[in-house]
Amino acid sequence: MSTYTALTKAFIKSLSMSKSNDKRTRITMKVIVAVVVLFIFVPVAIFCSLMTYSLVDNLSYFHIQDLGVAMVFHMISLFSLFFGFNVIFSEFYFSSDIEFVRPWPVKAWELVASKFTVSFYVDNAMQVFMVIASLVGFFFAAKPGVMSYVASVFATITLPILPLCYCGILSMIVMRFTKAIKNKEGVQRVSAVVLAFLILIFVILFRVLASNAEDAVHFFVTETNSPFVEYMNKIFPTVHFISRAIAFGSVTDLLIYLLINVFAIALMLLVAELLYFKGFENLVSNGKAKARSFSALMEKSIQTTPFKAYFKKELMILVRTPSFFTNCVIPNFIWPVFVLIILKMQTYDASLTALRMYNTNRPKIVGFFLIVGSVVFSLIMTSLNSIASNAISREGKHFQFMKYIPVPYDMQWDIKVLVSFLLTFIGIWMYLLPACILIHINVIYVLVAIALSILSITFGSYMGVYIDSIQPKLVWDDELSVLRENTNVALSMGIALGISIAIGAVCYAFYAFVKVRLLLVSLSLFVLLALLNLFVLWRTAKRGKKNIAEQEEM
Amino acid sequence: MLEISGVTKTFNDLKAVDDLSFKVNDGEIVGFVGPNGAGKTTTMKILTGILKPDCGTVNVNGFDMAKSPLEAKEIIGYIADSPDMFLRLKGIEFLNFIADIYKVPTDVRRERIETFATRFGLIDALDLPMQSYSHGMRQKAMVAAALVHNPPVWILDEPLIGLDPKSAYELKNMMREHAAKGNCVLFSTHVLEVAEKLCDKIIIINHGKDIFYGTMDELSAKYPGLDFEQIFLEMTGEK
């Protein structure tokens, strides 16, 4: 077995979540996975398929159907680039196995090739799924020949290679020539800055485009070309060739596509030989802050209750761990940026004056959207921040601590739920409440929305912790992997999304078509959420504690 | 007093602990030795309530771990096999957190933290995140945290690993002082010399079964002319 194969096998094995020995747990997990596939993967697949279908169908009149595929593939490549940055940095320089492997007689290119494969494996699941879904849309719209199918297979497997090669080369250059990133926290900080920068660019782009709808359309597609695709082709040249190979069945384009990928990998491995090991020279342990005097520390050492102490510990770990902070805490407080982007993309007037006017003219419609929206948004936000759905997994190697301290499991469970509840609730209502006041929404509607939001977040939080307790991911390499490789986070999100879609659709249908009164809609939501809460509390009481007590993977 | 009776624990058809019984009386230091994979850590996890045995009972100062787990856990001081715990917290935050969990009053905790910090040379490190600590410093923080509530029963899983000579010396002295006050200490170690010098009794375990439980004198009488190392290798079949 070659060094590369042996290393890759070992790295990938250390990523996997263990399977439970308990038959009931295995069946439960299968059911939940099915729910996730139904409510996350299927909607994403349908969206990608329909988007590609629509683009290709329209563009094929002008014989530029490859642009439709290219647009979707560029989006997927951007997705790989953004999310790959963190993964590649962590895998190349900060995974805990690196310090064991470095002293071995392993060449830099072998180690980088192996780590790259692991990153590709970790980062690729969703992208592969999106590529397949887009291709299905394309095949329905274009009905191509055999060669297109062959090219599609290559696209499915290899599309994210180039974006990830960019991340790999960039990481090695940054580590070798700058002192910007000295530890794992540095990666998180840089990732957060890059993400904020990208959001800013998107906001500006959409503002500019929104100012002239005709220009906006022409930016994405004209009758012969697409400036957007033209720009993006310079960044991801592979997309241009694979799109043509799929759209027109061109063997030459497919070969060029493969050659570019091979070249990108070869270049990355060459850079690895030159820079990779030298990049470790800038790594240092955490700097030492100025310490307070011992007497000052003693003055601050004051007894508090176990509940408060445990709560504080949970908060400190969430806030001080960069991966948890950026993925679990920050989203609760930056969601208005995304709402702003969406509002800017709309053609209707979404100014405060217009919203006030709309509220004056149609207060019940606004009340309906506030009440149902707060339920749905609260549930989605609770699962999206994953504070609850990785609450047990977050304990990792020190999960056993939960079991040997004299604090009842119920209390520990409730504290984890409380942390999820508070961060989500504060994050949502610190913006929504002032917005309601500014728009002059009826106080009763606001109070009902807050009450339902409380029930919704409580349910989402208890459900998240419960799902994570069934089979927590306790063995993880770094904090980022407990979020990205933990299927419980996706499971919880799938269930929340499913329930949200059902609630939103049913409420809208009843209100808009059956003309059920808002009072009845609100009461029905109260009953439904109360029942959901009772159900999850019953499951928690029946199995939750046992799940922790019986968990033996440590 | 710490007593384990007829405890068995199986993982995937492998008996990690097999019908194990022993008792650590008040005033005793008992060393727990055995080869890697013999079942020492599993036994200690059962004693602290981390793992549930398939059968058998654990009794801590009169509290049954299965029936009164919280009462039993309150009087145990446990040092786990890995000191990499809550590394995002500062040393002082970690000690205060554990003191809060075990409801240690303010004045008492201040005195104890000062004692441990002085004896283990932790004073200058207390205001730093434990992530910046060396392995040995983390182990010292774990020892201080495990003992901050002055538990009568100490269960220490390889507590001397990573400690510098002074801290190891201090900890061994603390074990003696603790036992002399009528409390009990059970600790696992691979350093036979430490077990031989420090312990009142020795438990030797192999493949989950206790193959010897008694004093060093009783052990030496069974194997005349052999030192402890030779006896251990002989008994565990590793010679």
Side-chain angles (χ1 to χ4, degrees):
Chain A
M1 196 187 296
S2 72
T3 311
Y4 162 76
T5 317
L7 282 173
T8 310
K9 271 188 177 175
F11 291 148
I12 287 180
K13 265 196 171 175
S14 69
L15 291 172
S16 58
M17 283 177 80
S18 60
K19 283 181 183 158
S20 171
N21 294 321
D22 181 30
K23 194 181 170 189
R24 198 167 59 174
T25 305
R26 285 203 304 270
I27 293 170
T28 311
M29 292 305 282
K30 277 181 188 168
V31 171
I32 299 174
V33 167
V35 171
V36 169
V37 169
L38 201 64
F39 291 109
I40 291 188
F41 278 45
V42 171
V44 170
I46 291 172
F47 174 76
C48 289
S49 295
L50 288 179
M51 194 166 92
T52 317
Y53 178 86
S54 166
L55 281 168
V56 173
D57 194 36
N58 287 312
L59 295 173
S60 55
Y61 290 113
F62 309 106
H63 300 288
I64 51 170
Q65 59 266 41
D66 58 314
L67 288 185
V69 181
M71 257 183 229
V72 178
F73 280 8
H74 278 310
M75 294 288 186
I76 295 169
S77 298
L78 276 174
F79 188 82
S80 297
L81 187 71
F82 298 156
F83 290 97
F85 182 75
N86 222 328
V87 174
I88 287 276
F89 251 108
S90 297
E91 280 296 333
F92 277 24
Y93 288 96
F94 301 105
S95 57
S96 58
D97 42 32
I98 277 289
E99 58 186 282
F100 294 105
V101 180
R102 272 180 63 210
W104 296 355
V106 179
K107 290 187 181 101
W109 73 265
E110 288 172 328
L111 192 48
V112 164
S114 179
K115 281 289 176 188
F116 182 80
T117 311
V118 174
S119 310
F120 190 78
Y121 174 80
V122 169
D123 199 47
N124 212 14
M126 195 67 183
Q127 282 93 315
V128 164
F129 196 74
M130 285 157 75
V131 173
I132 293 173
S134 309
L135 289 171
V136 169
F138 170 78
F139 290 131
F140 273 107
K143 300 176 183 63
V146 179
M147 211 36 230
S148 295
Y149 285 97
V150 175
S152 301
V153 173
F154 280 103
T156 305
I157 302 166
T158 57
L159 191 66
I161 284 181
L162 188 64
L164 289 182
C165 280
Y166 284 159
C167 294
I169 293 169
L170 183 71
S171 71
M172 288 185 279
I173 292 172
V174 168
M175 293 304 290
R176 174 64 185 93
F177 297 110
T178 76
K179 291 182 178 176
I181 296 175
K182 294 175 181 171
N183 48 40
K184 214 180 264 186
E185 282 69 25
V187 180
Q188 301 296 328
R189 270 186 231 113
V190 172
S191 301
V193 171
V194 168
L195 194 66
F197 184 67
L198 288 170
I199 289 172
L200 193 70
I201 287 177
F202 273 106
V203 171
I204 294 167
L205 183 70
F206 280 119
R207 276 190 79 104
V208 170
L209 293 177
S211 62
N212 188 333
E214 203 174 314
D215 283 353
V217 171
H218 280 104
F219 176 71
F220 284 104
V221 62
T222 66
E223 285 188 4
T224 54
N225 212 335
S226 162
F228 169 74
V229 171
E230 287 282 302
Y231 287 130
M232 294 305 294
N233 279 348
K234 287 175 187 155
I235 303 171
F236 303 118
T238 43
V239 170
H240 170 68
F241 292 103
I242 194 68
S243 313
R244 289 180 57 80
I246 292 170
F248 306 118
S250 160
V251 180
T252 316
D253 285 314
L254 178 62
L255 288 174
I256 296 173
Y257 166 79
L258 291 174
L259 273 176
I260 296 175
N261 275 322
V262 170
F263 175 75
I265 293 171
L267 181 67
M268 184 185 67
L269 298 181
L270 180 69
V271 172
E273 273 300 295
L274 298 171
L275 307 179
Y276 182 59
F277 284 141
K278 287 178 184 164
F280 284 95
E281 288 167 11
N282 286 332
L283 289 184
V284 291
S285 60
N286 289 334
K288 289 187 176 179
K290 196 182 172 192
R292 287 171 290 175
S293 70
F294 186 70
S295 56
L297 295 178
M298 286 301 98
E299 269 174 36
K300 296 272 179 192
S301 299
I302 298 163
Q303 187 188 2
T304 184
T305 61
F307 188 95
K308 276 188 197 164
Y310 200 102
F311 177 77
K312 198 175 153 196
K313 181 270 289 181
E314 285 285 315
L315 267 186
M316 281 198 287
I317 286 176
L318 271 176
V319 172
R320 287 186 189 172
T321 310
S323 301
F324 297 153
F325 185 67
T326 47
N327 290 282
C328 304
V329 179
I330 288 285
N332 301 303
F333 301 99
I334 62 158
W335 63 268
V337 175
F338 296 98
V339 173
L340 194 72
I341 293 172
I342 292 166
L343 285 177
K344 291 289 174 196
M345 288 166 69
Q346 305 305 320
T347 49
Y348 55 80
D349 186 5
S351 66
L352 184 62
T353 322
L355 290 171
R356 270 186 194 156
M357 184 91 80
Y358 193 79
N359 180 52
T360 313
N361 296 335
R362 311 185 77 176
K364 285 188 177 170
I365 296 280
V366 173
F368 172 83
F369 278 106
L370 176 69
I371 288 168
V372 179
S374 66
V375 170
V376 168
F377 186 58
S378 298
L379 194 53
I380 289 176
M381 204 61 198
T382 311
S383 66
L384 198 70
N385 66 31
S386 68
I387 296 171
S389 56
N390 71 40
I392 312 282
S393 298
R394 227 168 25 233
E395 300 289 340
K397 277 187 277 187
H398 40 84
F399 169 73
Q400 58 180 5
F401 175 81
M402 286 183 75
K403 299 176 83 172
Y404 73 71
I405 55 170
V407 177
Y409 295 143
D410 299 345
M411 191 196 281
Q412 299 188 51
W413 192 292
D414 289 342
I415 292 167
K416 286 174 184 295
V417 168
L418 184 65
V419 171
S420 163
F421 176 86
L422 284 179
L423 285 173
T424 315
F425 184 80
I426 293 169
I428 291 175
W429 285 97
M430 70 183 277
Y431 298 109
L432 211 49
L433 192 59
C436 291
I437 293 168
L438 285 173
I439 300 170
H440 301 155
I441 297 176
N442 187 325
V443 179
I444 301 291
Y445 295 155
V446 177
L447 291 176
V448 170
I450 291 175
L452 286 170
S453 168
I454 288 172
L455 284 175
S456 191
I457 298 171
T458 309
F459 165 69
S461 300
Y462 270 106
M463 180 194 71
V465 180
Y466 179 75
I467 287 174
D468 197 35
S469 76
I470 299 172
Q471 205 179 324
K473 182 176 171 60
L474 298 172
V475 181
W476 37 265
D477 191 46
D478 57 30
E479 287 96 351
L480 189 64
S481 56
V482 76
L483 298 164
R484 302 204 65 160
E485 294 155 21
N486 186 357
T487 47
N488 299 328
V489 173
L491 298 178
S492 174
M493 229 178 271
I495 293 173
L497 207 61
I499 294 174
S500 299
I501 290 169
I503 286 177
V506 171
C507 286
Y508 185 75
F510 272 89
Y511 188 73
F513 304 119
V514 189
K515 305 290 179 198
V516 172
R517 294 180 63 182
L518 186 53
L519 177 69
L520 199 60
V521 170
S522 305
L523 281 175
S524 308
L525 282 173
F526 265 116
V527 173
L528 176 72
L529 287 170
L531 287 174
L532 286 173
N533 271 293
L534 283 175
F535 174 73
V536 79
L537 286 172
W538 168 69
R539 286 303 303 170
T540 300
K542 191 165 182 268
R543 279 296 309 174
K545 249 168 71 171
K546 273 190 187 169
N547 286 343
I548 293 182
E550 289 169 6
Q551 179 57 241
E552 292 187 339
E553 186 188 302
M554 279 167 259
Chain B
M1 181 274 294
L2 185 63
E3 187 174 16
I4 185 167
S5 310
V7 162
T8 296
K9 180 70 190 172
T10 312
F11 296 111
N12 298 329
D13 301 329
L14 175 81
K15 271 191 180 170
V17 178
D18 190 0
D19 194 24
L20 190 65
S21 301
F22 62 82
K23 187 176 178 182
V24 184
N25 293 308
D26 288 340
E28 279 182 354
I29 302 177
V30 174
F32 200 26
V33 294
N36 290 331
K40 299 187 295 296
T41 296
T42 304
T43 306
M44 291 192 147
K45 284 182 174 175
I46 290 169
L47 284 167
T48 50
I50 293 169
L51 292 176
K52 206 172 145 190
D54 301 337
C55 61
T57 58
V58 171
N59 193 299
V60 186
N61 272 9
F63 294 111
D64 187 324
M65 184 58 83
K67 290 174 186 158
S68 314
L70 294 181
E71 289 83 353
K73 287 172 187 178
E74 263 178 14
I75 51 176
I76 291 175
Y78 171 58
I79 296 177
D81 50 352
S82 164
D84 299 334
M85 196 181 274
F86 302 121
L87 301 181
R88 301 281 171 187
L89 303 188
K90 291 178 177 179
I92 188 70
E93 290 169 344
F94 178 61
L95 293 178
N96 271 313
F97 167 55
I98 299 295
D100 286 331
I101 290 294
Y102 287 93
K103 301 169 190 156
V104 182
T106 301
D107 51 342
V108 179
R109 83 174 56 186
R110 283 179 180 169
E111 190 192 316
R112 286 192 193 140
I113 290 173
E114 186 167 3
T115 306
F116 289 124
T118 309
R119 289 181 83 162
F120 290 138
L122 275 173
I123 285 182
D124 292 336
L126 281 180
D127 201 26
L128 299 175
M130 294 203 295
Q131 203 170 25
S132 64
Y133 288 12
S134 66
H135 181 85
M137 289 292 276
R138 287 177 193 176
Q139 184 70 353
K140 289 178 197 176
M142 289 303 130
V143 174
L147 309 182
V148 75
H149 62 295
N150 194 23
V153 177
W154 290 8
I155 299 174
L156 318 176
D157 196 354
E158 302 194 31
L160 301 171
I161 285 189
L163 293 186
D164 54 47
K166 182 183 177 289
S167 301
Y169 173 78
E170 287 290 349
L171 182 59
K172 284 185 273 185
N173 272 349
M174 284 162 71
M175 286 192 213
R176 288 192 191 101
E177 289 161 17
H178 192 65
K181 285 180 196 163
N183 302 304
C184 66
V185 178
L186 173 72
F187 80 102
S188 68
T189 182
H190 284 296
V191 186
L192 299 178
E193 205 181 7
V194 170
E196 191 176 5
K197 283 184 180 166
L198 191 64
C199 300
D200 300 301
K201 283 180 185 165
I202 301 281
I203 302 164
I204 302 176
I205 181 174
N206 198 16
H207 301 301
K209 283 179 179 288
D210 60 328
I211 49 178
F212 175 78
Y213 173 47
T215 62
M216 275 307 299
D217 290 342
E218 287 167 350
L219 186 64
S220 299
K222 271 179 119 180
Y223 296 89
L226 296 182
D227 64 22
F228 188 24
E229 194 174 35
Q230 289 168 321
I231 295 170
F232 177 81
L233 294 175
E234 184 81 35
M235 290 182 83
T236 54
E238 294 189 2
K239 198 171 183 182

